[in-house]
Amino acid sequence: MIVNEIFYSLQGEGFLAGVPSVFVRLTGCPLRCRWCDTKYAWPKQAGRQYSVTEIVEQVQQWPCRFVVITGGEPMINSDLPQLVRQLKAAGKHVTIETAGIAYTPDMPCDLMSISPKLSNSVPDDAKSAAMHEAARLDLAVLRELIDNYDYQLKFVLDSQADLPEIETTIEKLGNVDRDKVMLMPQAATRDELLAKSPIVADMCKQAGFAFGQRLQVLLWNNQRGT
Ligand code: SF4
């Protein structure tokens, strides 16, 4: 597998926000979201080749039970099931961070952390925008992920105008546990996060969804390795 980085930090997002966790960032993502904060992990070759056993050894250098496999888009990696199985065999709690664009069955992960992409993430250039639009929302894949894994759904909001699109997406999906949905402000910097958070908090109260923290932005201003 090509690994972009392995580091120890706090989980910044989701219902496990604040929990000390080791992050394994795999390379490659076809979506090219406009506001992506890990563009350095987009190219397939943006890292170094590791065996699954080497990754598990690296992870074990920290006395930490929680592991987050992220990207890029980890679900497009064919060796992911093997990595998850070995991490589970080592006694780890495994979260997979995904945009929900690919489904793989029978992985013993503990939490599928799904962040479906809205139209606010469409890239500016026409070629990338076309690729993004074709791939960003696959309702059948999302359904499989929700039906077969413990999950959370994290939506990134740019403005109040995004809320109807989220409700429509949930309606189209059908049978979603609204207690597992959270809204997060789109923010590349701490200042942007602090400015947008009260607006998103109001939307959470209005819609009955949880507010999603982004501790890596709040605490470390989105520095790499956090
Ligand atoms: S899906 Fe995630 S990693 Fe891929 S471009 Fe979008 S924000 Fe970045």
Side-chain angles (χ1 to χ4, degrees):
M1 305 177 96
I2 299 182
V3 175
N4 181 270
E5 56 187 352
I6 301 176
F7 59 94
Y8 180 49
S9 187
L10 302 183
Q11 171 59 288
E13 300 180 355
F15 289 106
L16 289 173
V19 173
S21 304
V22 178
F23 289 77
V24 178
R25 187 181 307 289
L26 304 179
T27 63
C29 182
L31 284 191
R32 305 288 190 264
C33 297
R34 180 177 58 76
W35 40 255
C36 177
D37 54 6
T38 54
K39 290 179 178 165
Y40 51 83
W42 281 355
K44 262 275 178 214
Q45 302 308 320
R48 123 162 146 71
Q49 186 82 38
Y50 281 69
S51 69
V52 166
T53 303
E54 269 182 298
I55 296 173
V56 176
E57 280 170 9
Q58 286 282 317
V59 165
Q60 285 177 316
Q61 71 184 285
W62 293 284
C64 175
R65 191 167 77 81
F66 289 81
V67 178
V68 181
I69 305 175
T70 187
E73 172 49 71
M75 291 292 283
I76 59 175
N77 195 305
S78 59
D79 290 330
L80 184 63
Q82 198 193 341
L83 175 59
V84 174
R85 282 188 208 109
Q86 282 204 28
L87 287 168
K88 286 304 297 174
K92 303 298 181 186
H93 176 287
V94 179
T95 298
I96 297 176
E97 298 282 352
T98 176
I101 57 171
Y103 175 66
T104 304
D106 301 327
M107 286 192 296
C109 76
D110 298 279
L111 178 62
M112 194 61 74
S113 178
I114 311 165
S115 182
K117 296 301 175 272
L118 304 173
S119 49
N120 68 26
S121 60
V122 176
D124 294 328
D125 75 283
K127 191 175 162 207
S128 299
M131 277 169 45
H132 181 93
E133 272 305 277
R136 78 173 165 84
L137 197 68
D138 186 327
L139 293 174
V141 166
L142 289 171
R143 190 70 254 159
E144 291 276 22
L145 292 169
I146 288 170
D147 286 343
N148 291 288
Y149 292 106
D150 195 5
Y151 69 95
Q152 61 188 12
L153 277 178
K154 304 185 303 180
F155 289 97
V156 176
L157 283 87
D158 230 356
S159 71
Q160 279 174 311
D162 294 331
L163 192 52
E165 190 180 342
I166 291 169
E167 291 286 12
T168 304
T169 304
I170 290 173
E171 199 181 311
K172 282 187 194 161
L173 271 170
N175 194 23
V176 168
D177 182 349
R178 290 176 73 91
D179 288 347
K180 295 186 174 187
V181 177
M182 61 171 49
L183 310 184
M184 306 190 302
Q186 192 283 104
T189 65
R190 183 184 292 134
D191 287 347
E192 207 179 346
L193 182 68
L194 291 173
K196 284 185 182 172
S197 288
I199 301 164
V200 174
D202 281 345
M203 284 192 274
C204 288
K205 285 162 68 181
Q206 178 191 332
F209 297 131
F211 177 82
Q213 308 193 46
R214 304 192 70 195
L215 293 179
Q216 72 279 27
V217 184
L218 183 68
L219 298 178
W220 296 294
N221 210 18
N222 231 354
Q223 263 180 59
R224 192 166 171 178
T226 60

